[in-house]
Amino acid sequence: MNETVVSQSFVGLLYEDGAYQRTLEPGKHKLKTGFFDDVDRRVMMVDMRERSLTIKGQEILTADKVAIRVSLLVYFKIKDPVAASHNVASYEDRIYEDVQLSARRFLASRTLDQILTDRNEISYAVKTDVSDSATGYGVEVIRADVKDLVFPGNLREIMNMVIETERRAEAKLIEAKNDAAA
């Protein structure tokens, strides 16, 4: 008998002569081996813990033709280890690609003003869009968050001037109300 130990938070996928046989839960497992047994047995470990993946600096053109760079953080967990191992070559690469394309589609359909109004909308839209396809390859997307939203340097300067102008206008309005009240 050959013994295999599957650690807590993992499952083992048992293959005999390259064919999937069954899933091994955490613990010690005795795998049959006989003197004349020439079956090739292998156990592939699959991590079932929640993990995160950072989708770095995707440059995207908004609907109003402003180039922005967005980084996203995606939290996911394997729900079906067999599907995650058999349906795609690499579920992590696939999540990365799915999130990247989803973010591009979403942001390209929004103006810069819409994007700035609600960053949570981006997170929700990406999670919802990716969740359906990820389920097909055994992964649950728990959360997708905007990590960074970066604008070109000249746009940053313009936005800062607009904010400063708005603050001055508010201050003058308050001052005028106080003068009128006095």
Side-chain angles (χ1 to χ4, degrees):
M1 289 273 174
N2 187 8
E3 287 188 346
T4 296
V5 175
V6 178
S7 298
Q8 190 65 40
S9 305
F10 286 79
V11 295
L13 304 182
L14 174 63
Y15 295 88
E16 291 181 352
D17 291 333
Y20 169 74
Q21 296 301 310
R22 62 188 165 100
T23 300
L24 306 175
E25 296 300 320
K28 188 184 290 189
H29 299 272
K30 294 183 180 194
L31 306 177
K32 288 190 259 180
T33 55
F35 188 68
F36 295 106
D37 185 13
D38 63 348
V39 174
D40 179 32
R41 288 183 183 81
R42 295 180 192 253
V43 177
M44 182 174 79
M45 299 297 172
V46 179
D47 190 343
M48 301 296 287
R49 296 174 291 184
E50 181 179 319
R51 286 176 276 170
S52 64
L53 184 63
T54 300
I55 290 52
K56 295 181 183 174
Q58 301 300 307
E59 187 136 332
I60 300 169
L61 204 57
T62 64
D64 50 354
K65 309 294 185 246
V66 176
I68 61 171
R69 186 173 302 145
V70 65
S71 294
L72 297 146
L73 189 58
V74 180
Y75 298 90
F76 67 95
K77 186 176 189 175
I78 302 297
K79 282 299 190 184
D80 181 349
V82 176
S85 300
H86 297 174
N87 293 357
V88 290
S90 168
Y91 56 84
E92 286 186 352
D93 289 348
R94 181 65 182 272
I95 291 169
Y96 189 97
E97 293 164 356
D98 287 351
V99 169
Q100 181 182 44
L101 293 173
S102 178
R104 285 182 181 281
R105 282 191 299 270
F106 181 80
L107 293 171
S109 70
R110 301 287 190 277
T111 64
L112 179 61
D113 197 37
Q114 290 171 320
I115 293 166
L116 291 174
T117 302
D118 190 4
R119 283 173 53 156
N120 291 333
E121 185 183 20
I122 302 166
S123 300
Y124 177 77
V126 169
K127 179 193 179 299
T128 303
D129 187 37
V130 174
S131 287
D132 289 339
S133 64
T135 299
Y137 51 89
V139 175
E140 175 192 9
V141 176
I142 298 165
R143 208 169 78 227
D145 293 325
V146 175
K147 189 174 179 183
D148 294 310
L149 200 54
V150 180
F151 308 100
N154 61 343
L155 183 60
R156 247 189 320 246
E157 292 169 16
I158 292 169
M159 289 173 64
N160 286 336
M161 284 191 279
V162 168
I163 291 169
E164 184 62 31
T165 303
E166 287 174 353
R167 286 184 183 150
R168 283 189 195 135
E170 286 177 25
K172 285 182 180 181
L173 184 61
I174 292 169
E175 187 179 321
K177 284 182 182 178
N178 290 340
D179 287 348

